[in-house]
Amino acid sequence: MQLNDEQKVDEAVERRRFLGLTAAAAALATTGTATGCGVLGGGDGNVTLTVVAADYDLTGGDSTKRYWDGLVAAYRAKHPEVTVQVRIESWNDVDRTVAEMVKAGEAPDIAQIGAYADHAAADRLYSADELLSIPVQANFLAPLIAAGENRRTQYGLPFVASTRPLFYNRDLFEAAGAQPPTTWAELAAAAEKLKAHGVPTPFALPLGPEEAQAEAMMWLLSGGGGWTDAAEHYAIDSEANIRTFEWLRKNLVGKGLTGPVAPAELNRKAAFAAFAEGRVGMLNGHPSLVKEAAGKGIRVGQVPLPGIDGKPKTSMGVADWIMGFRQNGHRKEIGDFLDFLFSDENVLKFAGDNDLLPVTLTASARMETDPQHANLREFLKALPDTQLPPVGKTSWAAVSENIKQNIGRAVAPGGRPAEVLGAIGRAATAAEAAE
């Protein structure tokens, strides 16, 4: 029997009710702009919550600030006793800013950043059970709950999410007589046709240091592997992963189908810009690229990233995180504010404004039926079955950086995937053992 979204929420509520009561029993037993600080909202309340949040505006505007302004104003109307101060930081700085605040003994009450595991492992964060009402906690999509866990307890609360299907330029495909691929062989064949038609980059493969860990993970999953095994231990140099990179090196890079820039030197931002300018035939895309490319006259097609013989069992999802810090002791106020933030209205407002995906069952169901967000339906369809990077591991930050700096060498001329993946894998296993 198929459950509708309301039934799924009810079922999840019952499933997690015991967890919430158990956690409670255990507890009884035991701003401004992207370049500065400021106050969004105000007042003379009895409690002041401090929030540090990332800037999602890709155009240099103030859409993120306006979202938080509206959110705080609406919350204050219902909770005049709580003042909320929000500081907006660029993505280049926000994680470091929060780390510096924590080191200085001035942790914010709430941080909306890219990673939570280090803070969770150091016991700086409230768990989801300590903060959220049971219906709110149960409403998160299952892959995002799992990805938000450190040592089997959820500390990272998903803020927004995205998936990464294969994008292709419809006009270039039609001119070259290529078909949207469903297998690796079909992808290589389409790239050959695009190259023969004169497309500068038939397939963009950004394995440069900006986000190589994500591009690589998409390919590993499509090849039946991944960064971790079924027991959630690193398995970077598995046979499946080595096969995947051998295929990329031989069938795409080795045949000149990945364009004039070596994958190890190509960053995602440059690849996306080239796609939006009509110089790339295919790449693994992000929701924000749809609007950017369409704005420049590119007709974008979307299909799931092909697997070896067809659609892979799973694809990659990505989430950004929000969390509550223990230092100031404002557990109740933090929880009330986050319950408010995770209402359908607020979740949909931020996700929709930024061409990203909502993180809850009910908001996802509403977005899927909204004609205004028809361009996000392929992304939404993929999200419930995605696998996220192992962000719950405290070692992941260092492992991810190692991947960013070195994985591109695996597909270079004369590259040896087994050696490159083996070196990264040994370092990852050592880092995991030290957790």
Side-chain angles (χ1 to χ4, degrees):
M1 179 181 69
Q2 293 292 321
L3 299 179
N4 61 35
D5 290 297
E6 184 176 349
Q7 290 171 320
K8 289 177 181 177
V9 173
D10 290 341
E11 182 184 77
V13 167
E14 292 304 318
R15 185 177 67 249
R16 297 191 67 83
R17 184 181 300 277
F18 174 76
L19 297 178
L21 294 174
T22 301
L28 289 172
T30 52
T31 78
T33 66
T35 57
C37 304
V39 178
L40 307 185
D44 300 317
N46 300 321
V47 172
T48 296
L49 293 181
T50 56
V51 181
V52 177
D55 186 4
Y56 284 76
D57 197 308
L58 300 176
T59 64
D62 66 348
S63 63
T64 299
K65 178 182 180 298
R66 285 187 281 108
Y67 170 80
W68 285 100
D69 272 342
L71 182 77
V72 168
Y75 180 75
R76 287 271 297 148
K78 296 182 178 181
H79 300 273
E81 75 283 2
V82 180
T83 297
V84 183
Q85 298 178 340
V86 182
R87 171 176 174 174
I88 308 294
E89 292 281 347
S90 76
W91 269 114
N92 292 335
D93 301 324
V94 68
D95 284 82
R96 185 181 69 251
T97 294
V98 171
E100 290 173 349
M101 293 173 71
V102 169
K103 186 176 181 180
E106 300 174 351
D109 292 294
I110 297 170
Q112 188 275 296
I113 53 180
Y116 68 87
D118 285 352
H119 299 303
D123 197 30
R124 299 176 188 134
L125 303 180
Y126 290 114
S127 69
D129 287 323
E130 293 175 298
L131 292 175
L132 302 178
S133 64
I134 292 173
V136 170
Q137 188 181 356
N139 198 21
F140 292 128
L141 292 161
L144 306 182
I145 294 173
E149 293 179 343
N150 179 269
R151 301 186 187 279
R152 306 296 183 183
T153 298
Q154 185 184 1
Y155 295 96
L157 312 178
F159 182 67
V160 285
S162 67
T163 56
R164 307 290 176 85
L166 178 72
F167 286 3
Y168 63 96
N169 184 311
R170 290 181 179 274
D171 291 328
L172 294 180
F173 262 62
E174 291 173 8
Q179 296 297 318
T182 60
T183 66
W184 284 2
E186 291 177 3
L187 186 148
E192 292 275 15
K193 289 185 176 181
L194 291 165
K195 181 181 179 182
H197 187 66
V199 176
T201 302
F203 189 95
L205 185 65
L207 294 176
E210 180 188 354
E211 205 188 27
Q213 85 289 354
E215 179 71 21
M217 182 175 174
M218 287 182 262
W219 281 100
L220 298 183
L221 292 175
S222 73
W227 294 130
T228 56
D229 59 21
E232 299 183 3
H233 295 302
Y234 288 116
I236 292 173
D237 57 345
S238 68
E239 290 185 9
N241 291 349
I242 292 170
R243 277 198 310 271
T244 294
F245 270 85
E246 287 283 10
W247 187 90
L248 289 171
R249 184 183 64 82
K250 178 181 178 181
N251 294 282
L252 291 186
V253 182
K255 294 183 178 179
L257 301 177
T258 53
V261 180
E265 300 173 5
L266 180 64
N267 282 324
R268 183 190 68 167
K269 185 176 181 179
F272 281 15
F275 183 85
E277 292 166 2
R279 295 186 284 113
V280 171
M282 293 178 280
L283 51 60
N284 294 324
H286 180 281
S288 63
L289 182 56
V290 176
K291 184 180 291 186
E292 181 183 351
K296 296 186 177 181
I298 304 298
R299 293 197 302 134
V300 180
Q302 300 177 38
V303 293
L305 177 63
I308 299 175
D309 300 314
K311 184 179 179 180
K313 293 180 180 179
T314 187
S315 59
M316 189 188 76
V318 177
D320 299 327
W321 305 96
I322 192 165
M323 62 213 69
F325 281 82
R326 293 180 176 276
Q327 180 179 307
N328 300 318
H330 295 151
R331 182 188 65 81
K332 179 181 182 301
E333 292 80 10
I334 294 170
D336 286 344
F337 183 75
L338 291 175
D339 270 359
F340 180 75
L341 180 147
F342 284 116
S343 69
D344 281 1
E345 179 183 0
N346 292 323
V347 169
L348 286 167
K349 170 66 175 170
F350 193 86
D353 285 353
N354 292 279
D355 286 319
L356 292 168
L357 305 182
V359 295
T360 63
L361 288 165
T362 52
S364 295
R366 286 178 57 176
M367 179 179 274
E368 191 170 4
T369 59
D370 187 344
Q372 183 180 351
H373 299 298
N375 62 318
L376 295 175
R377 284 177 185 160
E378 286 297 323
F379 300 94
L380 281 166
K381 193 183 303 181
L383 185 58
D385 299 317
T386 56
Q387 180 176 328
L388 278 74
V391 292
K393 291 180 174 289
T394 55
S395 58
W396 175 241
V399 172
S400 175
E401 187 61 30
N402 190 358
I403 293 167
K404 291 178 184 180
Q405 299 300 325
N406 293 293
I407 198 71
R409 297 189 292 111
V411 297
R416 297 178 180 273
E419 292 182 5
V420 174
L421 292 173
I424 296 172
R426 288 189 294 274
T429 299
E432 183 177 43
E435 287 184 338

